[in-house]
Amino acid sequence: MEHFLTGLLGQTHGLVAYAMVYAILVLCGLGLPLPEDVTLMLGGYLAYSRAADSRVMVAVAFLGILTGDSTIFFFGRRTGRNLKPNSFIGRLVTPEKLAKVEALFAKYGQKIVMAARFMPGVRAGVFFAAGASGLAYWQFVLFDGLAACISVPLLVLLAKHFGGEITHFMMVAKRAQFTVLVVAFGLVLGWVGLQRARAKRKAQEAEAAKALETKLPEPAPQEQVEQPAQPVESRTTH
């Protein structure tokens, strides 16, 4: 597949290069077995060979990723669990996978969307389940976009820098992919754990304050002191 993409993109330039990178990344988001990281690195190589501008390539790649991810998200929002098993998406997102993804959502929340951007094998299933679960689109774009802001410029600009050794760079990037995945996933889980710890501490502090209020004696009502009657001054008539 790498050789296919290299032959497909290697001779393009200008608008054709941008359009091809955009289209391939959209298809990657829909779950087609195309390597997204290789496409981004080839986009960087095109910038190295002056067939494209690196800044435009980063913007085009970012939009292509969000377009593909948003399409599978809204497909999940519209279809949900009524997905036909014999359809392409139905074979990609089986009921078993959907149940596992929903369990991840229940445990880690919408932050799992950010981690899924670095997980090619389950990315489409997570995004489909995000739409089916009723996650707000702005939250999906926020976490997916944050992850894409890391991966897109990193791969495109590094490939541009190492353009003369693009084959070696791809090999190193593939070997490092698992490490990057573990680190990114660990950071997301650590952040989720920190937020849960803070929420738990706040809940405990609120319960302690409430318990303290119930133990404190109620203030005794103040007794009203009767004021002595004032003598009425008699007026003398002259």
Side-chain angles (χ1 to χ4, degrees):
M1 190 60 69
E2 295 177 11
H3 297 289
F4 170 74
L5 290 177
T6 302
L8 185 65
L9 294 173
Q11 304 300 323
T12 59
H13 63 276
L15 292 177
V16 176
Y18 300 136
M20 291 295 293
V21 169
Y22 177 85
I24 292 172
L25 290 175
V26 171
L27 295 177
C28 290
L30 296 178
L32 266 69
L34 298 172
E36 180 181 287
D37 53 348
V38 173
T39 305
L40 292 173
M41 287 184 281
L42 288 174
Y45 176 76
L46 291 175
Y48 164 80
S49 60
R50 300 182 182 275
D53 183 88
S54 59
R55 294 167 295 182
V56 178
M57 184 60 71
V58 168
V60 169
F62 184 81
L63 290 176
I65 285 176
L66 286 188
T67 301
D69 295 348
S70 298
T71 301
I72 196 73
F73 172 86
F74 282 114
F75 194 79
R77 172 69 57 84
R78 181 176 181 180
T79 306
R81 289 189 172 274
N82 298 323
L83 192 63
K84 296 181 179 180
N86 57 350
S87 63
F88 172 76
I89 302 296
R91 290 191 293 268
L92 183 66
V93 186
T94 62
E96 293 78 13
K97 289 183 178 180
L98 187 58
K100 291 180 180 179
V101 171
E102 288 176 345
L104 290 175
F105 269 100
K107 188 174 183 179
Y108 301 112
Q110 63 269 27
K111 290 84 178 177
I112 196 66
V113 171
M114 188 172 182
R117 172 112 294 282
F118 303 98
M119 303 165 64
V122 299
R123 183 187 301 148
V126 170
F127 295 165
F128 180 90
S133 66
L135 178 68
Y137 180 63
W138 72 266
Q139 290 179 311
F140 172 78
V141 170
L142 174 64
F143 289 102
D144 188 37
L146 286 175
C149 284
I150 299 173
S151 61
V152 174
L154 180 66
L155 290 176
V156 172
L157 297 180
L158 282 178
K160 178 187 176 183
H161 181 74
F162 294 101
E165 302 175 355
I166 188 64
T167 303
H168 177 69
F169 175 72
M170 286 184 179
M171 292 176 60
V172 174
K174 287 184 66 177
R175 292 173 183 174
Q177 185 177 17
F178 179 75
T179 304
V180 173
L181 170 62
V182 172
V183 172
F185 194 70
L187 289 175
V188 172
L189 294 186
W191 187 82
V192 172
L194 180 62
Q195 295 299 317
R196 288 193 171 188
R198 288 179 178 176
K200 185 177 180 180
R201 186 177 68 251
K202 289 182 179 180
Q204 290 175 345
E205 291 175 354
E207 290 179 0
K210 186 177 180 181
L212 183 61
E213 290 179 358
T214 57
K215 290 181 180 180
L216 290 176
E218 296 182 359
Q222 297 181 352
E223 296 181 357
Q224 295 181 354
V225 180
E226 296 183 358
Q227 299 292 332
Q230 298 292 333
V232 179
E233 295 182 357
S234 59
R235 296 182 179 180
T236 56
T237 305
H238 297 281

